[in-house]
Amino acid sequence: MTSKNFVFTSESVTEGHPDKIADQISDGVLDAIMEKDPMGRVACETAVTTGLVFVMGEITTDAYVDIPRIVRSTLKRIGYVHPDYGIDWNTCGVITSIDEQSRDIANGVTTSHEIRAGEDSCLASEDDEIEKLGAGDQGMMFGFACTETDVLMPMPIIFAHRLCKRMAEVRKSGEVDFLRPDGKSQVSIQYIDGKPHHVVSILLAAQHEPETTDKELNEILSEKVIRAVIPHNMMTNDTKFFINTSGRFVIGGPQADAGVTGRKIIVDTYGGYARHGGGCFSGKDPTKVDRSASYAVRWVAKNLVAAGVADQLEVQVAYAIGKARPFSIMVNSFGTGKIDEDKIVALIDKHFDLRPGAIIRDLKLRNPIYQQVAAYGHFGRDDLDLPWEKTDKADAIRRDAGLK
């Protein structure tokens, strides 16, 4: 963002939103395979609709996982525990259609183009097989960090996530007993001179029981969700609350709207404040750079911002399927950089190895850590111990950049 006055809006959705149900099931399957077979290849897609879950994709593994059990346990944890909700964990239908990963893709990923073409003798001589991986797909990925929040994320998306997470917390704890699992949030923030100044408006869409009144919904969610999450100093007398602007929201979840894996990629990343390369994360093992490289460049950007290199930083990488080394690395500090951008690229090259195998090694991505980030964002999660959220390289970068 340039330094000017503007209002920026981001949205989030609860874990009971149909698309997020699908993401969590896909990542639940991935986690189950990673736990038993860390070298498994997974591309798992899920679709959900009234009373039915369809799990499909390409999976190569020596492990057996009970996909229907994963589906049902995920729905139960989210809160789909009654037929009136349109899908019930205990009675819904589950269909699976799984094939193995294409041999052509598997061969290109297992042994990178550089090794096959004899281009990289250093890489070819490495003993660790994981170092020899090529990228699991082509594409470009973006990472971003900024100083707007303590987790180095844009403020609108962080507030939106926390509102949705709070709605789930008060529902599951019984503190608010009329909520159902589906819901959304939207936060609009006024920026002055490029910095967040105050919240202009907050929108909540909360699925609820049929007997709930509009007055009850507005009063309780305003107090127990909005005011419990948004800092008092970020609101003014003119901050507007909008709750269930369509009126009633009794019918929700997969009954109201079919859900599919990967349809909430902007919710998953930076809420539209920074760019997204296009590929989704959920259901993909870490050989897929859509996921692993996006995590890596968030790690890169966060460490650089934590080191004081810039107040805002976007990092782009691009890959070709089967090749280990990125095609390109680009940075944009939006005029906030303390050093030249070519020097920032040099720091990235020195401190980060962005080959897929190295990313998997450095971020420990062959572990069952994925379903926990399939709702409420993959980045800026101070409630989880995520390797790509660590600022473990910031001190060394700061020294090399000559910054105090």
Side-chain angles (χ1 to χ4, degrees):
M1 293 290 174
T2 56
S3 292
K4 60 179 181 178
N5 300 341
F6 56 90
V7 175
F8 194 88
T9 301
S10 291
E11 71 161 350
S12 183
V13 297
T14 66
E15 62 204 66
H17 185 280
D19 294 328
K20 277 290 143 204
I21 298 171
D23 286 343
Q24 290 167 90
I25 291 170
S26 292
D27 275 338
V29 173
L30 172 62
D31 277 354
I33 292 172
M34 289 289 103
E35 187 171 11
K36 296 180 178 180
D37 178 15
M39 303 302 289
R41 299 281 174 83
V42 181
C44 180
E45 311 288 344
T46 302
V48 298
T49 188
T50 306
L52 181 65
V53 178
F54 183 22
V55 181
M56 68 204 103
E58 296 76 47
I59 298 175
T60 302
T61 180
D62 294 329
Y64 169 77
V65 297
D66 188 341
I67 291 178
R69 184 191 62 79
I70 293 167
V71 169
R72 296 185 191 285
S73 64
T74 301
L75 288 169
K76 184 179 181 181
R77 175 184 56 77
I78 291 169
Y80 283 100
V81 295
H82 196 284
D84 285 351
Y85 294 178
I87 192 166
D88 173 36
W89 73 277
N90 198 36
T91 61
C92 70
V94 180
I95 300 172
T96 62
S97 179
I98 305 295
D99 290 321
E100 287 191 338
Q101 184 182 62
S102 157
R103 290 182 183 178
D104 294 340
I105 294 175
N107 291 337
V109 174
T110 301
T111 305
S112 71
H113 177 272
E114 288 92 334
I115 293 175
R116 287 180 279 114
E119 295 176 1
D120 197 330
S121 59
C122 177
L123 186 63
S125 68
E126 292 176 0
D127 294 330
D128 192 348
E129 186 68 22
I130 204 169
E131 296 289 339
K132 301 177 183 179
L133 288 175
D137 202 351
Q138 72 174 53
M140 66 286 188
M141 301 84 207
F142 289 92
F144 182 79
C146 63
T147 57
E148 291 181 13
T149 60
D150 57 352
V151 292
L152 303 185
M153 283 282 288
M155 189 176 288
I157 187 63
I158 289 298
F159 283 0
H161 283 324
R162 290 175 180 173
L163 288 166
C164 281
K165 194 166 186 289
R166 176 66 179 168
M167 281 198 286
E169 288 169 352
V170 298
R171 170 177 60 86
K172 290 180 173 182
S173 70
E175 185 176 355
V176 179
D177 60 5
F178 56 74
L179 289 178
R180 289 182 174 183
D182 199 357
K184 290 184 175 183
S185 69
Q186 189 167 288
V187 178
S188 300
I189 292 182
Q190 174 71 58
Y191 284 72
I192 296 178
D193 292 330
K195 298 182 184 301
H197 189 267
H198 65 270
V199 176
V200 174
S201 63
I202 295 167
L203 171 65
L204 294 183
Q207 188 188 16
H208 56 83
E209 297 293 337
E211 62 274 12
T212 307
T213 66
D214 291 345
K215 183 175 184 294
E216 184 180 22
L217 196 72
N218 278 271
E219 289 181 354
I220 292 180
L221 293 189
S222 294
E223 187 63 30
K224 293 188 177 294
V225 175
I226 295 175
R227 296 190 187 280
V229 168
I230 305 300
H232 177 73
N233 65 350
M234 285 303 297
M235 291 196 286
T236 71
N237 292 334
D238 294 325
T239 298
K240 300 290 192 299
F241 297 173
F242 299 97
I243 298 175
N244 284 16
T245 53
S246 67
R248 308 290 285 163
F249 186 7
V250 174
I251 300 172
Q255 185 178 17
D257 184 14
V260 180
T261 299
R263 288 206 303 200
K264 286 290 175 282
I265 58 176
I266 302 305
V267 169
D268 286 341
T269 54
Y270 306 103
Y273 198 92
R275 287 175 283 193
H276 189 291
C280 81
F281 300 156
S282 289
K284 297 177 180 178
D285 76 78
T287 65
K288 279 74 170 176
V289 285
D290 277 339
R291 176 167 228 156
S292 56
S294 293
Y295 290 173
V297 287
R298 161 62 180 169
W299 182 45
V300 170
K302 187 172 184 180
N303 273 272
L304 288 162
V305 169
V309 167
D311 293 333
Q312 290 187 33
L313 191 68
E314 185 179 74
V315 181
Q316 186 209 50
V317 289
Y319 292 86
I321 188 168
K323 286 185 68 67
R325 298 187 182 280
F327 265 23
S328 63
I329 301 175
M330 182 277 296
V331 300
N332 186 350
S333 61
F334 306 96
T336 70
K338 308 303 188 293
I339 61 175
D340 293 340
E341 290 180 353
D342 58 346
K343 293 181 180 178
I344 297 176
V345 173
L347 286 169
I348 294 172
D349 189 56
K350 178 177 180 180
H351 290 278
F352 300 93
D353 188 340
L354 295 177
R355 294 172 296 169
I359 292 170
I360 292 169
R361 176 199 64 202
D362 293 342
L363 296 181
K364 300 178 175 58
L365 296 182
R366 291 201 185 277
N367 289 302
I369 59 174
Y370 297 106
Q371 193 182 56
Q372 63 183 342
V373 293
Y376 312 120
H378 294 244
F379 306 135
R381 296 294 299 274
D382 57 358
D383 58 322
L384 301 173
D385 183 24
L386 300 174
W388 54 88
E389 289 297 310
K390 297 184 184 301
T391 52
D392 48 339
K393 292 182 178 287
D395 288 343
I397 291 170
R398 189 180 300 112
R399 287 193 299 270
D400 284 350
L403 300 170
K404 294 182 180 180

